[in-house]
Amino acid sequence: MIRWIVTDLDGTLVGRDLAMVPASRDALHRFREAGGEVIIATGRMERSARRYYDELGLEGAAILYNGARTVNLAMGSVLRSRHLPEAAWKTLLGLFEELPEGVHPVVFSGGEALAVHDAPELRDFARRDGITLRDPGDWTAVPPGGVTKCMLIGDPLPGWEIEGTVMVQSEATYLEVLPPDATKGTALRELAVLRGVPMEHIAAVGDNPNDIDMIAAAGLGVAVGDGHPDVRAAADVVVGACADGAVAEVVEMALRANARP
């Protein structure tokens, strides 16, 4: 039995036009009407994820910032929150001086997205996520214990290894530096324990490497057909492309499984 469907947004439920694929959106509505629960798991922040949460009519938890925060967006209650260790933030401050040309950091702190540069890549990111980037003036103005995540945008991305962090690639030109236990899979496991839902009753679907541990954690791990090869290799099932209704296929699998005597 599948009680929860946990879905990534961009490249999984949300297409290149930044809208939810209609077939997938409608299928998730059917799953909820049949008694199932839908949870979004995304690298986006609260403000950016809210439009999709509301369009789906959700009322429960959303996994945000790639697992650094779990928030009930309807109630505004924070169920889980992690921050970068201060030592890791200090390391990042030094590494910012060594970034290749064309690679720019975005730092998420206190519910804001911060950037000190004005670059086309950053403007594209802000437009895609529907957010405003605020210039803190200087990175040292950011409270060292209040950084939810850091994101590097551009190409070529650096091959950093920073102690006390998790580093994941969420898009071809996005590298995310997260707190040590901030992954979608970890957040999902904790939420399932909190809600008393066995992992084998959960289906999870995604398309990029930041989704792999979530897919591995779920009872049914599903990869989008046009997703990253590593995600397809890790999944139990590979469905069609995002634009063709990948999530709708997951819903149909879940409804069939739940209809069995």
Side-chain angles (χ1 to χ4, degrees):
M1 181 177 183
I2 301 298
R3 294 170 58 182
W4 288 1
I5 291 178
V6 184
T7 178
D8 171 52
L9 289 180
D10 297 287
T12 300
L13 176 61
V14 175
R16 294 183 183 275
D17 61 356
L18 304 181
M20 285 193 285
V21 175
S24 292
R25 178 199 59 213
D26 296 346
L28 289 175
H29 284 307
R30 291 197 304 276
F31 182 70
R32 295 187 68 228
E33 289 168 359
E37 185 167 346
V38 174
I39 296 169
I40 58 173
T42 177
R44 291 175 180 255
M45 62 191 297
E46 291 92 339
R47 193 181 319 145
S48 178
R50 186 63 191 257
R51 61 177 282 200
Y52 305 109
Y53 181 94
D54 288 344
E55 188 174 350
L56 289 169
L58 303 183
E59 299 173 342
I63 296 170
L64 308 172
Y65 299 93
N66 274 318
R69 281 171 72 85
T70 303
V71 180
N72 182 313
L73 292 176
M75 302 293 293
S77 54
V78 178
L79 306 177
R80 183 178 195 270
S81 183
R82 301 291 185 270
H83 295 92
L84 285 174
E86 292 190 24
W89 171 240
K90 291 177 182 177
T91 299
L92 276 168
L93 288 178
L95 291 171
F96 285 171
E97 304 297 324
E98 304 173 9
L99 282 171
E101 185 176 354
V103 178
H104 307 283
V106 177
V107 173
F108 296 83
S109 177
E112 293 188 297
L114 310 173
V116 299
H117 300 113
D118 180 19
E121 297 89 347
L122 297 183
R123 291 195 293 271
D124 286 346
F125 166 71
R127 176 194 58 80
R128 193 191 89 156
D129 271 31
I131 60 175
T132 300
L133 299 177
R134 183 176 72 81
D135 185 353
D138 187 273
W139 287 125
T140 58
V142 178
V147 177
T148 304
K149 78 170 182 177
C150 172
M151 192 169 178
L152 303 176
I153 299 176
D155 184 30
L157 293 169
W160 291 348
E161 291 185 8
I162 301 173
E163 186 175 354
T165 71
V166 171
M167 305 188 73
V168 294
Q169 191 165 344
S170 55
E171 297 283 351
T173 57
Y174 294 175
L175 179 65
E176 308 206 11
V177 186
L178 298 156
D181 59 349
T183 70
K184 291 184 182 183
T186 301
L188 177 57
R189 288 187 186 95
E190 289 191 13
L191 182 61
V193 169
L194 180 67
R195 295 282 306 281
V197 176
M199 294 304 295
E200 58 265 28
H201 291 177
I202 299 172
V205 54
D207 71 310
N208 263 314
N210 60 315
D211 298 314
I212 289 175
D213 78 321
M214 175 179 77
I215 288 170
L220 176 63
V222 184
V224 176
D226 55 349
H228 193 284
D230 291 349
V231 183
R232 299 199 303 270
D236 300 310
V237 178
V238 179
V239 292
C242 170
D244 294 335
V247 176
E249 290 190 49
V250 181
V251 171
E252 293 307 318
M253 284 189 287
L255 292 177
R256 286 197 300 272
N258 293 350
R260 291 177 191 145

PDB file of all heavy atoms in Angstrom, residues 112-138:
ATOM      1  N   GLU A 112      15.666  34.485   3.916  1.00  0.00           N
ATOM      2  CA  GLU A 112      16.006  35.313   2.771  1.00  0.00           C
ATOM      3  C   GLU A 112      17.054  34.626   1.906  1.00  0.00           C
ATOM      4  O   GLU A 112      17.827  33.791   2.389  1.00  0.00           O
ATOM      5  CB  GLU A 112      16.562  36.669   3.226  1.00  0.00           C
ATOM      6  CG  GLU A 112      15.567  37.563   3.926  1.00  0.00           C
ATOM      7  CD  GLU A 112      16.148  38.944   4.168  1.00  0.00           C
ATOM      8  OE1 GLU A 112      17.144  39.037   4.913  1.00  0.00           O
ATOM      9  OE2 GLU A 112      15.618  39.925   3.613  1.00  0.00           O
ATOM     10  N   ALA A 113      17.086  35.019   0.633  1.00  0.00           N
ATOM     11  CA  ALA A 113      18.123  34.575  -0.296  1.00  0.00           C
ATOM     12  C   ALA A 113      19.040  35.768  -0.549  1.00  0.00           C
ATOM     13  O   ALA A 113      18.586  36.835  -0.971  1.00  0.00           O
ATOM     14  CB  ALA A 113      17.506  34.089  -1.601  1.00  0.00           C
ATOM     15  N   LEU A 114      20.329  35.576  -0.306  1.00  0.00           N
ATOM     16  CA  LEU A 114      21.287  36.674  -0.321  1.00  0.00           C
ATOM     17  C   LEU A 114      22.318  36.477  -1.424  1.00  0.00           C
ATOM     18  O   LEU A 114      22.785  35.360  -1.660  1.00  0.00           O
ATOM     19  CB  LEU A 114      22.005  36.765   1.028  1.00  0.00           C
ATOM     20  CG  LEU A 114      21.114  36.779   2.283  1.00  0.00           C
ATOM     21  CD1 LEU A 114      21.970  36.689   3.537  1.00  0.00           C
ATOM     22  CD2 LEU A 114      20.246  38.025   2.304  1.00  0.00           C
ATOM     23  N   ALA A 115      22.676  37.554  -2.095  1.00  0.00           N
ATOM     24  CA  ALA A 115      23.718  37.515  -3.123  1.00  0.00           C
ATOM     25  C   ALA A 115      24.380  38.883  -3.195  1.00  0.00           C
ATOM     26  O   ALA A 115      23.701  39.913  -3.098  1.00  0.00           O
ATOM     27  CB  ALA A 115      23.140  37.137  -4.486  1.00  0.00           C
ATOM     28  N   VAL A 116      25.706  38.891  -3.359  1.00  0.00           N
ATOM     29  CA  VAL A 116      26.429  40.166  -3.415  1.00  0.00           C
ATOM     30  C   VAL A 116      26.774  40.571  -4.847  1.00  0.00           C
ATOM     31  O   VAL A 116      27.328  41.643  -5.062  1.00  0.00           O
ATOM     32  CB  VAL A 116      27.719  40.121  -2.561  1.00  0.00           C
ATOM     33  CG1 VAL A 116      27.388  39.850  -1.105  1.00  0.00           C
ATOM     34  CG2 VAL A 116      28.695  39.069  -3.083  1.00  0.00           C
ATOM     35  N   HIS A 117      26.450  39.717  -5.821  1.00  0.00           N
ATOM     36  CA  HIS A 117      26.724  40.033  -7.218  1.00  0.00           C
ATOM     37  C   HIS A 117      25.412  40.232  -7.974  1.00  0.00           C
ATOM     38  O   HIS A 117      24.363  39.760  -7.551  1.00  0.00           O
ATOM     39  CB  HIS A 117      27.525  38.910  -7.900  1.00  0.00           C
ATOM     40  CG  HIS A 117      28.856  38.657  -7.265  1.00  0.00           C
ATOM     41  ND1 HIS A 117      29.146  37.484  -6.595  1.00  0.00           N
ATOM     42  CD2 HIS A 117      29.964  39.427  -7.181  1.00  0.00           C
ATOM     43  CE1 HIS A 117      30.388  37.538  -6.146  1.00  0.00           C
ATOM     44  NE2 HIS A 117      30.895  38.701  -6.475  1.00  0.00           N
ATOM     45  N   ASP A 118      25.505  40.907  -9.097  1.00  0.00           N
ATOM     46  CA  ASP A 118      24.377  41.023 -10.024  1.00  0.00           C
ATOM     47  C   ASP A 118      24.841  40.420 -11.339  1.00  0.00           C
ATOM     48  O   ASP A 118      25.550  41.052 -12.115  1.00  0.00           O
ATOM     49  CB  ASP A 118      23.973  42.491 -10.208  1.00  0.00           C
ATOM     50  CG  ASP A 118      22.802  42.648 -11.166  1.00  0.00           C
ATOM     51  OD1 ASP A 118      22.091  41.656 -11.386  1.00  0.00           O
ATOM     52  OD2 ASP A 118      22.614  43.759 -11.700  1.00  0.00           O
ATOM     53  N   ALA A 119      24.456  39.162 -11.548  1.00  0.00           N
ATOM     54  CA  ALA A 119      24.921  38.423 -12.730  1.00  0.00           C
ATOM     55  C   ALA A 119      23.715  37.801 -13.416  1.00  0.00           C
ATOM     56  O   ALA A 119      22.703  37.495 -12.775  1.00  0.00           O
ATOM     57  CB  ALA A 119      25.908  37.335 -12.316  1.00  0.00           C
ATOM     58  N   PRO A 120      23.800  37.583 -14.736  1.00  0.00           N
ATOM     59  CA  PRO A 120      22.669  36.974 -15.451  1.00  0.00           C
ATOM     60  C   PRO A 120      22.246  35.638 -14.859  1.00  0.00           C
ATOM     61  O   PRO A 120      21.042  35.340 -14.786  1.00  0.00           O
ATOM     62  CB  PRO A 120      23.208  36.811 -16.877  1.00  0.00           C
ATOM     63  CG  PRO A 120      24.277  37.840 -17.007  1.00  0.00           C
ATOM     64  CD  PRO A 120      24.898  37.954 -15.646  1.00  0.00           C
ATOM     65  N   GLU A 121      23.220  34.815 -14.429  1.00  0.00           N
ATOM     66  CA  GLU A 121      22.881  33.508 -13.863  1.00  0.00           C
ATOM     67  C   GLU A 121      22.036  33.652 -12.597  1.00  0.00           C
ATOM     68  O   GLU A 121      21.119  32.862 -12.352  1.00  0.00           O
ATOM     69  CB  GLU A 121      24.162  32.727 -13.535  1.00  0.00           C
ATOM     70  CG  GLU A 121      25.030  32.406 -14.729  1.00  0.00           C
ATOM     71  CD  GLU A 121      26.053  33.504 -15.029  1.00  0.00           C
ATOM     72  OE1 GLU A 121      25.943  34.617 -14.477  1.00  0.00           O
ATOM     73  OE2 GLU A 121      26.981  33.220 -15.824  1.00  0.00           O
ATOM     74  N   LEU A 122      22.352  34.671 -11.800  1.00  0.00           N
ATOM     75  CA  LEU A 122      21.601  34.892 -10.567  1.00  0.00           C
ATOM     76  C   LEU A 122      20.215  35.447 -10.861  1.00  0.00           C
ATOM     77  O   LEU A 122      19.233  35.077 -10.193  1.00  0.00           O
ATOM     78  CB  LEU A 122      22.368  35.834  -9.641  1.00  0.00           C
ATOM     79  CG  LEU A 122      23.725  35.326  -9.141  1.00  0.00           C
ATOM     80  CD1 LEU A 122      24.331  36.332  -8.173  1.00  0.00           C
ATOM     81  CD2 LEU A 122      23.586  33.975  -8.468  1.00  0.00           C
ATOM     82  N   ARG A 123      20.126  36.322 -11.845  1.00  0.00           N
ATOM     83  CA  ARG A 123      18.809  36.854 -12.210  1.00  0.00           C
ATOM     84  C   ARG A 123      17.914  35.738 -12.751  1.00  0.00           C
ATOM     85  O   ARG A 123      16.715  35.698 -12.448  1.00  0.00           O
ATOM     86  CB  ARG A 123      18.963  37.986 -13.230  1.00  0.00           C
ATOM     87  CG  ARG A 123      19.598  39.243 -12.647  1.00  0.00           C
ATOM     88  CD  ARG A 123      19.399  40.434 -13.562  1.00  0.00           C
ATOM     89  NE  ARG A 123      20.123  40.291 -14.819  1.00  0.00           N
ATOM     90  CZ  ARG A 123      21.375  40.688 -15.021  1.00  0.00           C
ATOM     91  NH1 ARG A 123      22.065  41.253 -14.030  1.00  0.00           N
ATOM     92  NH2 ARG A 123      21.960  40.532 -16.198  1.00  0.00           N
ATOM     93  N   ASP A 124      18.496  34.829 -13.537  1.00  0.00           N
ATOM     94  CA  ASP A 124      17.723  33.697 -14.052  1.00  0.00           C
ATOM     95  C   ASP A 124      17.238  32.806 -12.913  1.00  0.00           C
ATOM     96  O   ASP A 124      16.098  32.332 -12.914  1.00  0.00           O
ATOM     97  CB  ASP A 124      18.558  32.880 -15.035  1.00  0.00           C
ATOM     98  CG  ASP A 124      18.742  33.573 -16.375  1.00  0.00           C
ATOM     99  OD1 ASP A 124      18.007  34.549 -16.639  1.00  0.00           O
ATOM    100  OD2 ASP A 124      19.625  33.144 -17.147  1.00  0.00           O
ATOM    101  N   PHE A 125      18.121  32.565 -11.943  1.00  0.00           N
ATOM    102  CA  PHE A 125      17.746  31.744 -10.795  1.00  0.00           C
ATOM    103  C   PHE A 125      16.610  32.392 -10.011  1.00  0.00           C
ATOM    104  O   PHE A 125      15.623  31.728  -9.654  1.00  0.00           O
ATOM    105  CB  PHE A 125      18.957  31.525  -9.888  1.00  0.00           C
ATOM    106  CG  PHE A 125      18.604  30.990  -8.532  1.00  0.00           C
ATOM    107  CD1 PHE A 125      18.160  29.694  -8.379  1.00  0.00           C
ATOM    108  CD2 PHE A 125      18.702  31.801  -7.406  1.00  0.00           C
ATOM    109  CE1 PHE A 125      17.818  29.201  -7.122  1.00  0.00           C
ATOM    110  CE2 PHE A 125      18.363  31.316  -6.155  1.00  0.00           C
ATOM    111  CZ  PHE A 125      17.923  30.010  -6.010  1.00  0.00           C
ATOM    112  N   ALA A 126      16.717  33.681  -9.738  1.00  0.00           N
ATOM    113  CA  ALA A 126      15.685  34.377  -8.972  1.00  0.00           C
ATOM    114  C   ALA A 126      14.348  34.367  -9.716  1.00  0.00           C
ATOM    115  O   ALA A 126      13.286  34.177  -9.109  1.00  0.00           O
ATOM    116  CB  ALA A 126      16.125  35.807  -8.686  1.00  0.00           C
ATOM    117  N   ARG A 127      14.407  34.547 -11.035  1.00  0.00           N
ATOM    118  CA  ARG A 127      13.178  34.514 -11.825  1.00  0.00           C
ATOM    119  C   ARG A 127      12.554  33.127 -11.775  1.00  0.00           C
ATOM    120  O   ARG A 127      11.347  32.985 -11.579  1.00  0.00           O
ATOM    121  CB  ARG A 127      13.496  34.898 -13.280  1.00  0.00           C
ATOM    122  CG  ARG A 127      12.292  34.801 -14.223  1.00  0.00           C
ATOM    123  CD  ARG A 127      12.730  34.847 -15.676  1.00  0.00           C
ATOM    124  NE  ARG A 127      13.660  33.780 -16.018  1.00  0.00           N
ATOM    125  CZ  ARG A 127      13.295  32.538 -16.283  1.00  0.00           C
ATOM    126  NH1 ARG A 127      12.020  32.187 -16.249  1.00  0.00           N
ATOM    127  NH2 ARG A 127      14.204  31.619 -16.585  1.00  0.00           N
ATOM    128  N   ARG A 128      13.381  32.103 -11.926  1.00  0.00           N
ATOM    129  CA  ARG A 128      12.867  30.735 -11.924  1.00  0.00           C
ATOM    130  C   ARG A 128      12.224  30.377 -10.596  1.00  0.00           C
ATOM    131  O   ARG A 128      11.172  29.744 -10.541  1.00  0.00           O
ATOM    132  CB  ARG A 128      13.993  29.741 -12.228  1.00  0.00           C
ATOM    133  CG  ARG A 128      13.506  28.348 -12.545  1.00  0.00           C
ATOM    134  CD  ARG A 128      14.620  27.331 -12.570  1.00  0.00           C
ATOM    135  NE  ARG A 128      14.824  26.772 -11.237  1.00  0.00           N
ATOM    136  CZ  ARG A 128      15.380  25.581 -10.999  1.00  0.00           C
ATOM    137  NH1 ARG A 128      15.806  24.853 -12.000  1.00  0.00           N
ATOM    138  NH2 ARG A 128      15.538  25.137  -9.775  1.00  0.00           N
ATOM    139  N   ASP A 129      12.859  30.807  -9.516  1.00  0.00           N
ATOM    140  CA  ASP A 129      12.340  30.462  -8.197  1.00  0.00           C
ATOM    141  C   ASP A 129      11.288  31.451  -7.699  1.00  0.00           C
ATOM    142  O   ASP A 129      10.676  31.219  -6.650  1.00  0.00           O
ATOM    143  CB  ASP A 129      13.485  30.374  -7.191  1.00  0.00           C
ATOM    144  CG  ASP A 129      14.086  28.971  -7.127  1.00  0.00           C
ATOM    145  OD1 ASP A 129      14.073  28.292  -8.170  1.00  0.00           O
ATOM    146  OD2 ASP A 129      14.556  28.566  -6.059  1.00  0.00           O
ATOM    147  N   GLY A 130      11.084  32.553  -8.416  1.00  0.00           N
ATOM    148  CA  GLY A 130      10.089  33.526  -8.004  1.00  0.00           C
ATOM    149  C   GLY A 130      10.445  34.233  -6.715  1.00  0.00           C
ATOM    150  O   GLY A 130       9.582  34.501  -5.870  1.00  0.00           O
ATOM    151  N   ILE A 131      11.734  34.537  -6.538  1.00  0.00           N
ATOM    152  CA  ILE A 131      12.194  35.182  -5.304  1.00  0.00           C
ATOM    153  C   ILE A 131      12.989  36.436  -5.634  1.00  0.00           C
ATOM    154  O   ILE A 131      13.338  36.693  -6.789  1.00  0.00           O
ATOM    155  CB  ILE A 131      13.076  34.230  -4.470  1.00  0.00           C
ATOM    156  CG1 ILE A 131      14.323  33.802  -5.271  1.00  0.00           C
ATOM    157  CG2 ILE A 131      12.284  33.010  -4.023  1.00  0.00           C
ATOM    158  CD1 ILE A 131      15.306  32.969  -4.469  1.00  0.00           C
ATOM    159  N   THR A 132      13.274  37.213  -4.611  1.00  0.00           N
ATOM    160  CA  THR A 132      14.131  38.386  -4.727  1.00  0.00           C
ATOM    161  C   THR A 132      15.431  38.127  -3.986  1.00  0.00           C
ATOM    162  O   THR A 132      15.404  37.640  -2.838  1.00  0.00           O
ATOM    163  CB  THR A 132      13.433  39.620  -4.132  1.00  0.00           C
ATOM    164  OG1 THR A 132      12.220  39.864  -4.838  1.00  0.00           O
ATOM    165  CG2 THR A 132      14.327  40.853  -4.234  1.00  0.00           C
ATOM    166  N   LEU A 133      16.540  38.419  -4.620  1.00  0.00           N
ATOM    167  CA  LEU A 133      17.842  38.279  -3.971  1.00  0.00           C
ATOM    168  C   LEU A 133      18.202  39.599  -3.296  1.00  0.00           C
ATOM    169  O   LEU A 133      18.196  40.645  -3.938  1.00  0.00           O
ATOM    170  CB  LEU A 133      18.910  37.901  -4.999  1.00  0.00           C
ATOM    171  CG  LEU A 133      18.713  36.572  -5.736  1.00  0.00           C
ATOM    172  CD1 LEU A 133      19.815  36.365  -6.764  1.00  0.00           C
ATOM    173  CD2 LEU A 133      18.666  35.404  -4.763  1.00  0.00           C
ATOM    174  N   ARG A 134      18.526  39.532  -2.013  1.00  0.00           N
ATOM    175  CA  ARG A 134      18.911  40.732  -1.284  1.00  0.00           C
ATOM    176  C   ARG A 134      20.427  40.781  -1.126  1.00  0.00           C
ATOM    177  O   ARG A 134      21.055  39.767  -0.807  1.00  0.00           O
ATOM    178  CB  ARG A 134      18.249  40.775   0.088  1.00  0.00           C
ATOM    179  CG  ARG A 134      18.568  42.056   0.864  1.00  0.00           C
ATOM    180  CD  ARG A 134      17.831  42.116   2.171  1.00  0.00           C
ATOM    181  NE  ARG A 134      18.336  41.203   3.172  1.00  0.00           N
ATOM    182  CZ  ARG A 134      19.417  41.450   3.938  1.00  0.00           C
ATOM    183  NH1 ARG A 134      20.126  42.562   3.777  1.00  0.00           N
ATOM    184  NH2 ARG A 134      19.808  40.562   4.849  1.00  0.00           N
ATOM    185  N   ASP A 135      21.001  41.953  -1.339  1.00  0.00           N
ATOM    186  CA  ASP A 135      22.441  42.146  -1.177  1.00  0.00           C
ATOM    187  C   ASP A 135      22.731  42.504   0.278  1.00  0.00           C
ATOM    188  O   ASP A 135      22.297  43.560   0.760  1.00  0.00           O
ATOM    189  CB  ASP A 135      22.918  43.275  -2.110  1.00  0.00           C
ATOM    190  CG  ASP A 135      24.426  43.449  -2.070  1.00  0.00           C
ATOM    191  OD1 ASP A 135      25.101  42.803  -1.247  1.00  0.00           O
ATOM    192  OD2 ASP A 135      24.941  44.249  -2.890  1.00  0.00           O
ATOM    193  N   PRO A 136      23.468  41.632   1.004  1.00  0.00           N
ATOM    194  CA  PRO A 136      23.772  41.941   2.404  1.00  0.00           C
ATOM    195  C   PRO A 136      24.880  42.980   2.558  1.00  0.00           C
ATOM    196  O   PRO A 136      25.210  43.375   3.677  1.00  0.00           O
ATOM    197  CB  PRO A 136      24.215  40.588   2.961  1.00  0.00           C
ATOM    198  CG  PRO A 136      24.839  39.905   1.776  1.00  0.00           C
ATOM    199  CD  PRO A 136      24.036  40.336   0.582  1.00  0.00           C
ATOM    200  N   GLY A 137      25.461  43.386   1.419  1.00  0.00           N
ATOM    201  CA  GLY A 137      26.571  44.335   1.456  1.00  0.00           C
ATOM    202  C   GLY A 137      27.905  43.627   1.537  1.00  0.00           C
ATOM    203  O   GLY A 137      28.828  43.915   0.778  1.00  0.00           O
ATOM    204  N   ASP A 138      28.009  42.696   2.455  1.00  0.00           N
ATOM    205  CA  ASP A 138      29.239  41.921   2.637  1.00  0.00           C
ATOM    206  C   ASP A 138      28.856  40.600   3.290  1.00  0.00           C
ATOM    207  O   ASP A 138      27.979  40.565   4.162  1.00  0.00           O
ATOM    208  CB  ASP A 138      30.217  42.701   3.531  1.00  0.00           C
ATOM    209  CG  ASP A 138      31.562  42.015   3.610  1.00  0.00           C
ATOM    210  OD1 ASP A 138      31.713  41.132   4.491  1.00  0.00           O
ATOM    211  OD2 ASP A 138      32.453  42.335   2.800  1.00  0.00           O
TER     212      ASP A 138
END
